[in-house]
Amino acid sequence: MDTKLFIEAAFRSTATTTSTPLTLGKAAIDDLSFQHLPVDMALAQNRVRLLIADDVGLGKTLEAGLITSELILRGRAKRILVVTTRSMLAQFQKEFWTRFSIPLSRLDSAAIRRMRNQIPAHYNVFDQFDRSIVSIDTLKQDSQIRAAIEQSSWDLIIIDEAHNAAARSKSGGGQSLRSRLAKLLSRKADSLLLLTATPHDGSQGSFASLIEMLDPTRVPNPEELHRGDIEDLVVRRFRSSPEVLASIRKAVKPRQLHRRSFPLSVKEEAAYQAIAELKLDLDDETRGSRAIDLFRTTLAKAIFSSPAACLETVLGRIKRIENKTARGTETDRQKLTELAALLDAVEPQDFRKYQDFLSLLKDIRWTGKDRRDRLVVFSERIRTISWLEKQLKADLGFSDEMIGRVDGGSVEADVKTQQLLEDFGQEKSPLRILLASDMASEGLNLHFQSHRLIHFDLPWSLLRFQQRNGRIDRYGQDRVPQIYYFVGESSHPKVNDMWVLEKLVEKDTAAQKGVGDPAVFLGKGDADLEEEVVAEAISSGAGAEAFEAEMDARAQKAEEAVSADDELDALFGDYTGVDHSDTEVHATVQSDGTPPRLFPDTFAYAQAMLLRLAKPGEDLFEEAPTIEEADRLIRTRLPQDMMSDGGLGYARTGEVDDRYMPVEAVGKGNLIELTDRNEVINTAIDHAKTEERSWPTVQYLWDGHPILEWFGERAETFFPEHSAALCPLPGRLAAGEVAVLLHGAIPNAHGAPIVDRWGVVTVTDGRVTAQETVADFIRRVDLSGNTPNNGEADVDLATRALAPAVDAFQSHLVDQRKTRAAEIEEDLRITLDRLAGFETRFQQQLRLKFADIPENTESLSGAQKRQQNRREARAAEIDQLFDDWTKWFESTKRMVEDPNPYVDIKAVFTG
């Protein structure tokens, strides 16, 4: 059995080279056919570079997990870095572990602080972990962490909510610190996945900035993107896309929108009317500025949230006017003081939206007693959230632990927010209401115990409205999502003209029914820029109908462009996988590169290995693992050599080393349970939501589970170092016959195998008599069955067979290299020709940009000389860019020259 386990471990430590996906239908997720596309596209690329921009709630994290699993199985993702928002750290980490058995060491503020107390300051934190997850906020705020990035590299980097790292037109197309960090990271990874439901802000430049991170050779001019250049890099589908509808129609219940209208109180009317008619000198000073920058617009936005939020805004401006730290005349101060008095007079009973909110709870008979009927309440203003928290506790009689806030206000927000969000998804948690700012509108799963979402104030952005709804209206929601919003009614015409936000709700409904990308209505793909469009509509006083007509006109223009290769089609169309890289793949992957197997499946192998390692004398387990074959379940306590010494990372002394698995995934007494049944894992994940711990102790046992790596390490100890297993097979091999099991690979310059072969060479009387595949040999001698190892093998006979076997197998590998080399050169020619085509367009763009510089350089003016210097610098950049990518393709595709390829002898069998 030691021989079989040793060989199986060797098989499993060999990376597959097949281009066929191995994870589809096997990971612990529902198998949705539309999620196959990103995997197929990634495996069709030599250098995996993909923007996954599917709609909110369609499973971008799961698509990234499938791709990551495929790369791990191919040995192309040993080092992984995930960058996400701080509120998403725990959720992303949990999804990758529970669904794909991919451990990510969570480098939150607590873990980093603990490490700094234990390791020297000059140590690079990223060198300590091959697979880690960190928040973009930590990278921004921690200079030591940013410096560590400069000295690190990864096989795969995943940037979640990648739109936060795109260049934005509102900043003049400039790059924020997040954008600069993301661009830096893009150069530190072989493979790169960008995840976002909003891949641009409505501008070509914004979209181009993400494409440039993936492949800068595709963007000669950031203001002129063409679908044909980029559609093998982008996946983008909407809920209304036919392939998505076909997969989710039965599983996702259509949301129900509920409009709540209420008349403003007399005191509210007075405050609203004052704002609608307010004329301020400080606004006159900024005449011609954007409507969003006018203080009257700021007041309108605040009053739409709550009188308390508006009062805070007014008092803050009055104080700054008095301190002379903000614009505003004495007249402005007096007007604002009068407005503050009107706002201060609005008592809770006069705040009719809040009163209608309480009426809503009565109408739906919501008391907070049902653990699975929790409320998510969104508001843009932190002051409104604070007011609601205090008032709801008083009016509903709720304790502090029944209402939680997610607003990003805490210094330790990454840790506290993660715990709060975990609690909200746990059935036993006392939490009943989650008050959230738009910090919680991206990515989070809030649907486990909640199907009701309340927009206490409507956002001034269609994207934010969609993102908020996506917290409970997403795949996996088992009830009909109920969405509520409020509309005030006024007797004052100017106040009514300000109330245009309801039209955003109508357009979101239209998008759900088939428009696709809701960004077409406002012409932007960025929430802040959408707010500017809405602010202009409110400030102009044109009214709701005129605002709707403008949105419809924009959508019509985008629809007319869908079939054309123009700006709007590139920005707002869907991307469903037209792949221009298919000509590049044939020479770099093998059609059948899956390593052989001795055991029928991973469970059988794990069962046999654990029973072997639990034998007396190994001293690995304090108690033997238990195996329930009928239920396909293995229970075991972790061995000591998988435990942490507390020096690094999230884990403390006595906990599992989080390089093997997250601390939260291990039960009491370091107990874990392993199963290969998807339905058991999904049930365990659901059951964990009813327990105090939110992580299931049951783990998904498949080819990607890290315990298999540990098995491989232990199997290496079964035989002396640098030796092969020797096994007699009398009756199965003829007398004097020796079968040598060998593995050989011919890599590229990066060490990745281009030719990778297992084989069996048979030697009789010192002469090679046969070569066969491992699968054929296993069948011939029934090695996968019950194989008794009787008698003593003839060591001299086996030793004499090694040299001719190795020579024969090396010759076989050389023949394979010759065949593949011709394919590679043709494939490389096609790839480099395409790259040269892109370079030509860069050069054409360069000539156009600097066309006004005379050919005669002797008569150049000072300005022209500066232009010439910029042109030369840009030309050098272009040369370097294409030289780098050309070298990468050449070094990746071509095999290293070695007349005697390395061959490893794994086992020898004698007759």
Side-chain angles (χ1 to χ4, degrees):
M1 180 58 74
D2 279 6
T3 299
K4 291 177 67 173
L5 290 172
F6 177 80
I7 294 172
E8 181 75 3
F11 288 161
R12 288 177 175 272
S13 65
T14 305
T16 180
T17 56
T18 181
S19 59
T20 303
L22 302 176
T23 63
L24 302 181
K26 297 179 182 178
I29 60 175
D30 292 342
D31 187 26
L32 304 178
S33 59
F34 76 89
Q35 293 180 342
H36 295 188
L37 175 64
V39 179
D40 292 334
M41 290 181 66
L43 294 183
Q45 297 175 328
N46 289 300
R47 191 175 198 177
V48 177
R49 296 262 159 160
L50 205 58
L51 168 61
I52 303 178
D54 282 343
D55 205 353
V56 174
L58 295 185
K60 291 180 288 296
T61 303
L62 302 183
E63 291 168 336
L66 288 168
I67 293 171
T68 303
S69 298
E70 296 284 357
L71 294 179
I72 288 173
L73 293 176
R74 286 160 177 78
R76 295 170 62 186
K78 294 180 180 178
R79 279 183 54 79
I80 301 170
L81 176 68
V82 176
V83 180
T84 187
T85 60
R86 61 187 178 188
S87 61
M88 281 287 292
L89 274 174
Q91 178 178 302
F92 201 110
Q93 181 195 29
K94 186 195 294 186
E95 290 282 278
F96 257 47
W97 175 253
T98 58
R99 303 296 184 181
F100 307 102
S101 304
I102 300 173
L104 299 172
S105 299
R106 191 166 79 230
L107 303 182
D108 59 18
S109 59
I112 291 173
R113 185 168 54 249
R114 193 161 61 248
M115 279 190 293
R116 282 186 174 149
N117 291 332
Q118 300 185 54
I119 63 176
H122 65 278
Y123 273 40
N124 188 332
V125 63
F126 294 115
D127 286 346
Q128 316 304 320
F129 302 96
D130 281 340
R131 299 171 181 175
S132 55
I133 182 169
V134 66
S135 78
I136 188 70
D137 305 279
T138 296
L139 298 183
K140 281 174 54 182
Q141 297 166 6
D142 194 314
S143 59
Q144 191 173 340
I145 292 291
R146 291 202 305 275
I149 292 175
E150 291 279 3
Q151 307 301 322
S152 303
S153 61
W154 292 268
D155 299 316
L156 168 65
I157 289 179
I158 302 172
I159 301 179
D160 192 27
E161 305 296 348
H163 57 276
N164 292 320
R168 291 306 188 191
S169 57
K170 66 187 176 188
S171 60
Q175 294 186 340
S176 64
L177 178 55
R178 285 185 175 188
S179 181
R180 293 196 298 274
L181 280 168
K183 194 168 184 178
L184 170 62
L185 288 169
S186 73
R187 299 193 297 268
K188 294 292 184 177
D190 196 22
S191 298
L192 177 66
L193 297 179
L194 304 180
L195 314 181
T196 175
T198 53
H200 58 78
D201 64 3
S203 69
Q204 291 267 13
S206 174
F207 198 14
S209 69
L210 294 182
I211 301 299
E212 284 181 312
M213 290 181 203
L214 297 170
D215 184 348
T217 71
R218 306 296 185 90
V219 189
N221 181 0
E223 299 305 320
E224 292 184 8
L225 280 182
H226 297 279
R227 286 181 65 98
D229 295 339
I230 65 174
E231 54 192 345
D232 59 317
L233 303 176
V234 183
V235 179
R236 194 173 195 210
R237 286 80 52 85
F238 304 97
R239 285 198 177 200
S240 55
S241 300
E243 65 273 26
V244 174
L245 283 174
S247 293
I248 70 173
R249 183 180 284 113
K250 294 181 180 179
V252 176
K253 301 172 177 61
R255 72 174 67 148
Q256 293 181 0
L257 280 168
H258 303 277
R259 179 185 191 271
R260 302 282 300 190
S261 61
F262 58 91
L264 298 175
S265 68
V266 173
K267 291 182 179 179
E268 285 180 301
E269 283 275 24
Y272 270 90
Q273 184 173 339
I275 292 172
E277 297 178 344
L278 187 64
K279 293 184 186 290
L280 296 171
D281 294 335
L282 64 90
D283 279 341
D284 287 339
E285 293 175 17
T286 57
R287 190 178 302 278
S289 298
R290 301 173 304 171
I292 195 74
D293 294 328
L294 299 178
F295 190 62
R296 190 168 68 88
T297 306
T298 302
L299 294 175
K301 196 174 186 189
I303 192 67
F304 284 167
S305 181
S306 70
C310 194
L311 179 60
E312 179 184 62
T313 301
V314 171
L315 293 177
R317 175 54 71 119
I318 291 173
K319 183 177 181 180
R320 290 193 294 277
I321 291 174
E322 292 174 344
N323 292 339
K324 300 188 184 304
T325 57
R327 288 181 295 106
T329 64
E330 175 59 23
T331 302
D332 288 341
R333 190 192 67 79
Q334 292 175 0
K335 289 179 179 179
L336 292 175
T337 300
E338 293 170 2
L339 176 59
L342 294 175
L343 292 166
D344 192 43
V346 181
E347 299 291 340
Q349 63 269 21
D350 302 311
F351 185 14
R352 293 297 168 80
K353 180 169 63 173
Y354 175 70
Q355 294 302 322
D356 194 60
F357 174 76
L358 296 179
S359 297
L360 165 63
L361 301 186
K362 293 179 181 178
D363 292 345
I364 62 177
R365 298 179 180 177
W366 190 88
T367 61
K369 293 181 180 179
D370 187 344
R371 294 179 176 182
R372 293 213 64 231
D373 191 4
R374 302 181 182 184
L375 303 181
V376 179
V377 183
F378 271 101
S379 173
E380 286 199 318
R381 304 298 291 253
I382 293 178
R383 179 67 186 95
T384 301
I385 291 173
S386 300
W387 187 92
L388 282 171
E389 181 182 31
K390 179 180 178 181
Q391 200 66 35
L392 285 171
K393 286 177 182 177
D395 290 340
L396 300 180
F398 278 12
S399 63
D400 291 346
E401 60 184 5
M402 297 178 74
I403 299 180
R405 290 174 52 177
V406 179
D407 56 29
S410 169
V411 175
E412 296 293 336
D414 58 345
V415 178
K416 292 183 178 179
T417 297
Q418 289 171 63
Q419 186 59 56
L420 179 64
L421 294 170
E422 289 276 355
D423 291 345
F424 191 70
Q426 293 302 109
E427 190 172 319
K428 289 189 176 182
S429 165
L431 265 176
R432 292 297 179 268
I433 298 177
L434 185 69
L435 301 173
S437 70
D438 284 311
M439 169 191 172
S441 67
E442 294 182 347
L444 294 173
N445 293 326
L446 301 180
H447 63 290
F448 300 131
Q449 315 295 346
S450 174
H451 68 290
R452 300 187 195 275
L453 185 144
I454 298 169
H455 298 276
F456 191 76
D457 47 55
L458 284 170
W460 287 28
S461 161
L462 186 53
L463 283 175
R464 282 211 174 100
F465 184 73
Q466 181 190 35
Q467 288 168 342
R468 288 181 181 184
N469 293 339
R471 298 316 100 225
I472 68 162
D473 182 14
R474 57 198 298 108
Y475 188 85
Q477 174 62 266
D478 58 359
R479 293 164 289 176
V480 176
Q482 305 288 342
I483 312 292
Y484 306 89
Y485 66 97
F486 302 94
V487 177
E489 296 177 347
S490 171
S491 60
H492 194 283
K494 284 191 175 182
V495 173
N496 280 332
D497 286 341
M498 291 168 60
W499 210 281
V500 304
L501 299 180
E502 189 177 9
K503 293 300 179 182
L504 298 180
V505 179
E506 295 178 11
K507 297 312 171 189
D508 177 72
T509 302
Q512 296 293 316
K513 292 181 178 179
V515 171
D517 188 353
V520 296
F521 290 110
L522 294 173
K524 309 293 182 184
D526 175 82
D528 292 337
L529 292 177
E530 284 191 342
E531 285 190 2
E532 293 182 17
V533 177
V534 174
E536 185 62 41
I538 292 174
S539 180
S540 69
E545 300 307 318
F547 180 49
E548 182 176 33
E550 291 176 7
M551 289 194 288
D552 289 341
R554 292 190 194 95
Q556 180 64 32
K557 183 179 179 182
E559 184 178 352
E560 292 170 354
V562 163
S563 300
D565 184 17
D566 71 2
E567 175 182 348
L568 291 179
D569 180 44
L571 292 179
F572 297 113
D574 58 0
Y575 289 79
T576 55
V578 177
D579 184 10
H580 292 298
S581 63
D582 57 346
T583 56
E584 302 173 3
V585 305
H586 305 301
T588 56
V589 297
Q590 295 172 223
S591 59
D592 183 17
T594 305
R597 295 287 185 262
L598 275 177
F599 289 83
D601 52 47
T602 301
F603 186 89
Y605 167 57
Q607 176 182 4
M609 182 63 85
L610 284 169
L611 291 176
R612 166 63 179 82
L613 296 176
K615 284 184 176 181
E618 291 290 343
D619 297 326
L620 293 172
F621 298 97
E622 293 181 4
E623 57 186 75
T626 60
I627 299 168
E628 300 176 11
E629 291 188 56
D631 294 330
R632 309 284 290 182
L633 187 67
I634 297 172
R635 290 188 179 90
T636 183
R637 298 192 186 279
L638 292 172
Q640 188 58 41
D641 57 356
M642 291 181 71
M643 308 306 289
S644 170
D645 61 6
L648 295 170
Y650 194 83
R652 300 175 186 273
T653 302
E655 296 177 329
V656 64
D657 187 329
D658 52 7
R659 288 171 285 195
Y660 284 108
M661 62 191 66
V663 172
E664 297 90 338
V666 180
K668 293 180 179 178
N670 293 322
L671 177 70
I672 62 170
E673 298 175 306
L674 303 169
T675 184
D676 62 350
R677 286 186 173 175
N678 291 17
E679 66 274 16
V680 174
I681 292 293
N682 289 324
T683 299
I685 292 171
D686 291 338
H687 184 68
K689 300 182 185 101
T690 69
E691 301 297 320
E692 291 182 4
R693 56 174 289 124
S694 63
W695 290 61
T697 55
V698 182
Q699 301 177 10
Y700 186 44
L701 179 64
W702 69 329
D703 287 352
H705 196 290
I707 201 169
L708 270 68
E709 182 179 346
W710 182 72
F711 287 163
E713 294 170 359
R714 301 307 308 176
E716 291 290 336
T717 67
F718 292 173
F719 300 98
E721 192 174 1
H722 304 305
S723 65
L726 178 59
C727 181
L729 294 177
R732 304 191 185 202
L733 293 178
E737 185 180 12
V738 180
V740 184
L741 174 66
L742 306 110
H743 174 252
I746 302 176
N748 61 18
H750 301 282
I754 302 299
V755 171
D756 190 286
R757 288 287 188 272
W758 283 90
V760 176
V761 178
T762 302
V763 178
T764 306
D765 296 330
R767 182 171 56 87
V768 173
T769 55
Q771 290 196 54
E772 59 189 319
T773 67
V774 175
D776 288 341
F777 175 75
I778 289 172
R779 282 191 295 269
R780 179 161 69 91
V781 302
D782 192 25
L783 191 61
S784 59
N786 184 17
T787 312
N789 188 1
N790 297 324
E792 292 292 330
D794 189 331
V795 176
D796 290 338
L797 178 68
T799 302
R800 289 194 300 271
L802 297 184
V806 169
D807 286 343
F809 197 62
Q810 282 182 326
S811 296
H812 170 68
L813 290 176
V814 170
D815 290 341
Q816 289 291 312
R817 178 169 57 194
K818 291 177 181 178
T819 301
R820 302 268 288 157
E823 298 173 351
I824 286 170
E825 289 306 315
E826 174 60 17
D827 178 60
L828 187 58
R829 182 191 65 78
I830 295 171
T831 300
L832 296 183
D833 283 351
R834 188 174 183 224
L835 196 63
F838 285 125
E839 185 173 13
T840 297
R841 290 174 52 188
F842 269 74
Q843 299 293 353
Q844 290 171 343
Q845 183 65 34
L846 184 67
R847 287 193 293 271
L848 284 173
K849 184 175 181 180
F850 296 97
D852 57 340
I853 300 179
E855 291 295 327
N856 183 4
T857 59
E858 295 179 0
S859 59
L860 295 181
S861 66
Q864 288 173 330
K865 287 181 180 179
R866 288 191 293 273
Q867 283 284 86
Q868 183 188 38
N869 291 336
R870 283 194 286 270
R871 180 180 64 182
E872 291 174 352
R874 178 57 179 155
E877 288 178 6
I878 293 171
D879 288 343
Q880 186 64 54
L881 168 64
F882 283 90
D883 185 54
D884 289 345
W885 277 73
T886 297
K887 288 179 179 177
W888 189 92
F889 281 117
E890 290 177 338
S891 62
T892 301
K893 290 175 177 289
R894 287 190 173 123
M895 296 172 284
V896 296
E897 291 294 335
D898 185 353
N900 298 302
Y902 176 76
V903 171
D904 195 9
I905 302 169
K906 286 300 182 182
V908 182
F909 303 92
T910 62

